[in-house]
Amino acid sequence: MKGGKDMKILVIDDEENVRLIVKRIIKDMGFQDLEVFEASEGREGTKLILNENGAIDLVITDYNMSPGKNGFEVAKFVKENYPNIPVILMTANHYMEENEETRNIGIKRIILKPFNLEEFKNVICEITGEK
């Protein structure tokens, strides 16, 4: 995939294995000039966003994390402070797909865990505008 600019993606999940899998999938998609940041909980993720002055192209966060901020709180922080950053919420809770509150704060997509690899890639491409 040829992007016209550097791509910065933040992956937030309290499970290291999930972070590593998501990071590997994204890197294997072939983005040029890609930087993937990782955070193990929401508070750490929001600090990374602040440290980058909001220069993140996409946030992929788990919903249910502990301790600290959960994915909903991360998404709310992003949308209140950096409304142009798209947020993908990962969750094993199937009821979240229809949750009006998540849609109202501007979460771009909800991906159910365990996720289908092709569906995950398609969502990333859709949001980043890459093919």
Side-chain angles (χ1 to χ4, degrees):
M1 288 184 185
K2 299 191 189 287
K5 65 179 184 80
D6 295 347
M7 178 79 61
K8 292 182 179 181
I9 298 176
L10 172 59
V11 179
I12 309 170
D13 199 300
D14 57 344
E15 294 183 45
E16 183 179 13
N17 289 345
V18 174
R19 289 193 315 270
L20 293 174
I21 289 168
V22 170
K23 187 175 180 178
R24 173 56 45 212
I25 291 168
I26 294 167
K27 287 188 177 254
D28 287 348
M29 290 176 70
F31 289 103
Q32 290 186 322
D33 300 319
L34 173 69
E35 193 170 359
V36 180
F37 299 91
E38 293 180 55
S40 61
E41 56 93 15
R43 197 171 13 250
E44 180 185 357
T46 55
K47 285 181 185 174
L48 271 166
I49 294 167
L50 289 169
N51 288 345
E52 290 296 313
N53 295 315
I56 300 290
D57 297 292
L58 173 62
V59 174
I60 304 171
T61 183
D62 186 29
Y63 173 74
N64 191 19
M65 296 180 285
S66 61
K69 292 182 179 184
N70 65 29
F72 181 79
E73 293 167 319
V74 169
K76 194 170 179 183
F77 166 84
V78 170
K79 291 304 167 186
E80 288 174 354
N81 295 283
Y82 306 99
N84 293 332
I85 300 175
V87 177
I88 296 173
L89 189 68
M90 299 183 295
T91 183
N93 301 324
H94 291 263
Y95 72 89
M96 291 299 295
E97 273 191 310
E98 302 302 323
N99 187 313
E100 191 69 26
E101 194 173 16
T102 57
R103 299 283 183 212
N104 286 342
I105 65 164
I107 292 173
K108 202 70 165 168
R109 290 293 296 269
I110 296 172
I111 296 178
L112 295 175
K113 290 182 187 179
F115 47 79
N116 172 290
L117 180 63
E118 286 308 310
E119 178 187 358
F120 187 83
K121 288 179 178 181
N122 288 338
V123 169
I124 300 293
C125 288
E126 173 188 317
I127 291 174
T128 61
E130 297 289 335
K131 301 266 183 221

